[in-house]
Amino acid sequence: MNFTNLPQLVDMRGKLKSNGTYSKRTKAITHRVWHHSLTKKNLAGSDAASFAAYHVGTLGWPGCGYALVIEPKNIISTPNGKRARIVYANDYDRRTYHVGNSNQFSLGICVAGDYRYDTMDEATLASIAELHAALVKDGIGQYDKAHNEMPGYSWKACCEYNYREAFDWKGSKTPSKPAPAPDVYTIQEGDTLWSIAHKDGADGVQVEDLIKANPGIDPSKLKIGQKINFGNAKEVIVQPDKNKEDAKPSVSGDETIRSIQKTLNSRYATGLVVDGIKGSKTKTALIKALQTELNKQFNKKLVVDGKWGAKTKAAIVTLEKGAKGNLTWILQAALYTEGYNPGSLDSIFGKGTESVLEKFQKAKKITADKKAGKASFAELFAA
Ligand SMILES: [Zn+2]
């Protein structure tokens, strides 16, 4: 094989995290599908081992979703010059998860990096060009496609580098960016609402938004081929659930606590009884949510046990005004359960959140810097 003889290639088949094996392809490879990882290329999590850990540990897949991973942060000196390392992660005859229904005939190649922001360096361009040429010589695949050129993925921001220009790399040009894309998503093999919502990283949507934008869809029973309205989900703002059912006086507890419990259940599968009463189980579920997000967004590798301990504290990232997303929601929910109502649980760290955080910090006699860091989370979560 020409590609396995590339001096920058390391064979890590069978050495990365796995849980079972991907089945053998039932169709010949016709497509080479190019991805990027949406993880900044220089960060610790931007390599094949981390993708395997995420795909297995978080998404529950059998192994790393790609056959080949190019790692810009691992530069190898070769007789041809400096090259980004290429990890051979899964045998090319295995049908890994990376393009849903097209997995059977598609070879998944991921260039680590978030090319919405990262620029591609020469060593990486060279590895793309050489890997591509070798695969062509080996007769592995006939067509090259970006992830978002495959059926059902037109909405995806992947791969965000111009792979065709990269193939022609001769040591100068920086590839330009292809156009962005639209909005209906078709459920593919290996998908969960959670994985769909999170594949897009910071610009992705939240599971709860997907559920709200798609009332006819049962998230526990996704069918391949089902259409998900992805665009509307981007417009949904997460608010405490105020439907009529919940407004009835016969319903127990606090309405916002119920909405927190529902969100924890849908987003993190925490299995809480939705009773609107804050208790130790809700707190444990919030800590699990926090650990899950720290792992997913910052690759912290925490055990998701719902216990506030030294490792979780050390992993805390500081949130301040302007932050938005699931971590901010967790902060807002935790403040609310402690009796500090940020106004709405909208996942956006705005004035309301800042002002109740400051009150909370003063009440707990910690530095009132209006930033939620280790000290504030410790006050919120330590038993
Ligand atoms: Zn992709």
Side-chain angles (χ1 to χ4, degrees), residues 40-48 50 70-76 84-85 112 121 124:
K40 287 286 187 73
K41 66 180 184 180
N42 292 319
L43 293 184
S46 234
D47 55 27
S50 301
I70 298 178
E71 301 175 337
K73 73 188 175 90
N74 291 323
I75 300 298
I76 290 185
R85 186 167 85 155
D121 50 68
T124 304

Side-chain angles (χ1 to χ4, degrees), residues 359-377:
K359 278 184 197 154
F360 176 78
Q361 289 174 325
K362 285 179 178 164
K364 297 292 177 186
K365 299 189 167 50
I366 57 175
T367 310
D369 59 2
K370 306 180 200 174
K371 293 177 187 173
K374 293 179 174 62
S376 297
F377 277 101

Side-chain angles (χ1 to χ4, degrees), residues 34-36 66 98 147 156 158:
W34 297 83
H35 300 262
H36 71 160
Y66 312 110
H98 63 109
H147 189 177
K156 245 186 138 11
C158 188

Side-chain angles (χ1 to χ4, degrees), residues 187-379:
I187 300 286
Q188 311 282 318
E189 180 184 12
D191 278 339
T192 62
L193 272 195
W194 197 88
S195 69
I196 295 164
H198 289 82
K199 276 176 189 167
D200 261 9
D203 283 353
V205 300
Q206 304 191 333
V207 174
E208 181 170 276
D209 301 346
L210 275 179
I211 293 168
K212 283 189 178 174
N214 297 277
I217 295 212
D218 178 348
S220 64
K221 291 178 187 147
L222 296 182
K223 295 190 193 84
I224 291 173
Q226 226 169 7
K227 298 266 191 289
I228 293 273
N229 192 335
F230 200 80
N232 283 1
K234 292 180 176 170
E235 311 301 321
V236 174
I237 297 167
V238 184
Q239 292 287 351
D241 197 336
K242 287 197 168 79
N243 66 42
K244 280 179 192 161
E245 187 70 19
D246 285 354
K248 283 178 192 165
S250 62
V251 176
S252 68
D254 179 276
E255 189 184 324
T256 302
I257 301 276
R258 276 201 307 280
S259 125
I260 290 169
Q261 291 167 328
K262 279 186 196 170
T263 300
L264 286 167
N265 287 347
S266 75
R267 203 177 281 169
Y268 304 103
T270 46
L272 292 170
V273 176
V274 179
D275 58 6
I277 299 164
K278 66 170 178 180
S280 62
K281 285 185 179 162
T282 303
K283 188 183 248 187
T284 299
L286 279 167
I287 297 171
K288 280 186 182 172
L290 178 70
Q291 291 165 329
T292 303
E293 293 296 338
L294 290 170
N295 287 348
K296 186 173 66 64
Q297 299 184 36
F298 299 95
N299 195 34
K300 295 291 188 180
K301 302 193 168 82
L302 297 169
V303 178
V304 180
D305 59 4
K307 291 179 188 151
W308 178 262
K311 285 183 182 164
T312 303
K313 186 176 180 183
I316 288 294
V317 294
T318 300
L319 303 176
E320 57 186 296
K321 199 171 171 189
K324 56 184 174 182
N326 291 350
L327 281 168
T328 300
W329 180 85
I330 292 163
L331 171 68
Q332 291 174 326
L335 283 166
Y336 187 90
T337 59
E338 291 297 311
Y340 294 82
N341 184 355
S344 77
L345 276 59
D346 58 1
S347 310
I348 299 167
F349 196 133
K351 272 193 182 146
T353 304
E354 191 180 54
S355 102
V356 293
L357 176 63
E358 190 183 18
K359 278 184 197 154
F360 176 78
Q361 289 174 325
K362 285 179 178 164
K364 297 292 177 186
K365 299 189 167 50
I366 57 175
T367 310
D369 59 2
K370 306 180 200 174
K371 293 177 187 173
K374 293 179 174 62
S376 297
F377 277 101
E379 290 296 338

Side-chain angles (χ1 to χ4, degrees), residues 137-148:
K137 264 193 198 162
D138 291 330
I140 299 175
Q142 298 154 34
Y143 311 104
D144 292 285
K145 295 281 181 195
H147 189 177
N148 63 13

